[in-house]
């Protein structure tokens, strides 16, 4: 996988440099008993694929749904079909690892770019008061849990295995050098 599939929120967070980590579920939950091919490599340049549309023929204009263009007409093209040369955001991958989704730390949850609300702060405090025998779940972890469950229903409770990567935004690779992509 030489790309990161991003919904609108993730695309905005990466572009605004609020998100420096990304997680995706493993296709099969039999880790560590099965061999897997790693979806990313350390040091790899990856494009961030997001929903988009192209307008015009002679001088086409690319519009991205994450920018919330209300004047856009027609259907959005899904992120999975975005060609690399239309990608506007590129990241250089640092660490790549495997973990169970509930093993995310408070710091890592914040690095996922989640938005922590007052409700997340209150829920983490009241849960700690009710069950002091369980590990503390911080507000960023609570926000990440809510987002993860909205994207992958039931995956948090199953404690699925995930691929995780750390990255930093970078410039797009030179168009004259497709090998660098």
């Amino acid at each position: 996988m030489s790309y990161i599939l991003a919904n609108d929120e993730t695309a905005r967070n990466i572009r605004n440099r609020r998100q420096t980590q990304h997680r995706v579920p493993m296709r099969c939950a039999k880790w560590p008993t099965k061999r897997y091919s790693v979806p990313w490599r350390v040091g790899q340049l990856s494009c961030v694929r997001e929903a988009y549309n192209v307008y015009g023929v002679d001088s086409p204009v690319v519009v991205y749904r994450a920018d919330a263009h209300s004047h856009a007409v027609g259907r959005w093209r899904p992120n999975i079909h975005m060609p690399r040369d239309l990608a506007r955001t590129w990241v250089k991958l640092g660490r790549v690892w495997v973990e169970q989704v509930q093993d995310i730390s408070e710091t890592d949850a914040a690095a996922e770019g989640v938005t922590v609300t007052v409700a997340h702060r209150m829920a983490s405090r009241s849960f700690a008061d009710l069950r002091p025998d369980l590990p503390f779940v911080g507000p960023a972890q609570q926000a990440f849990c809510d987002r993860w469950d909205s994207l992958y229903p039931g995956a948090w409770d199953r404690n699925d295995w995930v691929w995780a990567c750390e990255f930093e935004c970078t410039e797009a690779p030179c168009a004259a050098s497709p090998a660098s992509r």
Side-chain angles (χ1 to χ4, degrees):
M1 182 186 309
S2 59
Y3 54 85
I4 291 178
L5 283 180
N7 61 23
D8 297 343
E9 178 186 10
T10 300
R12 277 190 299 274
N13 286 341
I14 292 173
R15 285 192 58 76
N16 296 332
R17 290 170 171 61
R18 285 190 60 225
Q19 183 170 346
T20 58
Q21 288 188 12
H22 187 67
R23 284 165 177 72
V24 294
M26 294 181 83
R27 292 191 181 180
C28 180
K30 295 185 179 175
W31 176 268
T33 60
K34 188 176 176 185
R35 269 183 94 88
Y36 290 92
S37 60
V38 180
W40 303 297
R41 292 186 321 270
V42 173
Q44 177 182 27
L45 285 179
S46 296
C47 65
V48 177
R49 287 185 172 176
E50 55 185 303
Y52 71 102
N53 210 338
V54 179
Y55 297 100
V57 178
D58 295 332
S59 55
V61 175
V62 181
V63 179
Y64 302 92
R65 190 171 66 194
D67 291 341
H69 290 286
S70 57
H71 66 275
V73 181
R75 292 183 54 198
W76 291 106
R77 297 179 187 184
N79 56 4
I80 191 72
H81 298 301
M82 174 183 246
R84 286 172 174 263
D85 51 337
L86 294 185
R88 62 180 174 165
T89 310
W90 289 81
V91 296
K92 184 173 184 177
L93 299 175
R95 269 188 328 145
V96 175
W97 69 98
V98 172
E99 68 182 4
Q100 286 185 280
V101 70
Q102 291 181 14
D103 291 342
I104 191 169
S105 70
E106 181 72 5
T107 304
D108 288 347
E112 280 274 351
V114 295
T115 302
V116 177
T117 64
V118 172
H120 294 125
R121 293 183 199 289
M122 297 302 290
S124 65
R125 274 195 215 114
S126 60
F127 186 76
D129 292 341
L130 291 172
R131 294 295 306 268
D133 56 317
L134 293 177
F136 176 74
V137 176
Q141 289 168 306
Q142 187 67 45
F144 178 79
C145 169
D146 291 349
R147 185 172 76 179
W148 191 261
D149 247 4
S150 73
L151 295 172
Y152 311 104
W156 182 266
D157 291 333
R158 288 190 307 270
N159 201 16
D160 288 351
W161 288 93
V162 297
W163 290 108
C165 71
E166 195 168 57
F167 57 82
E168 61 183 32
C169 284
T170 186
E171 296 299 315
C174 179
S177 171
S180 66
R181 294 184 183 182

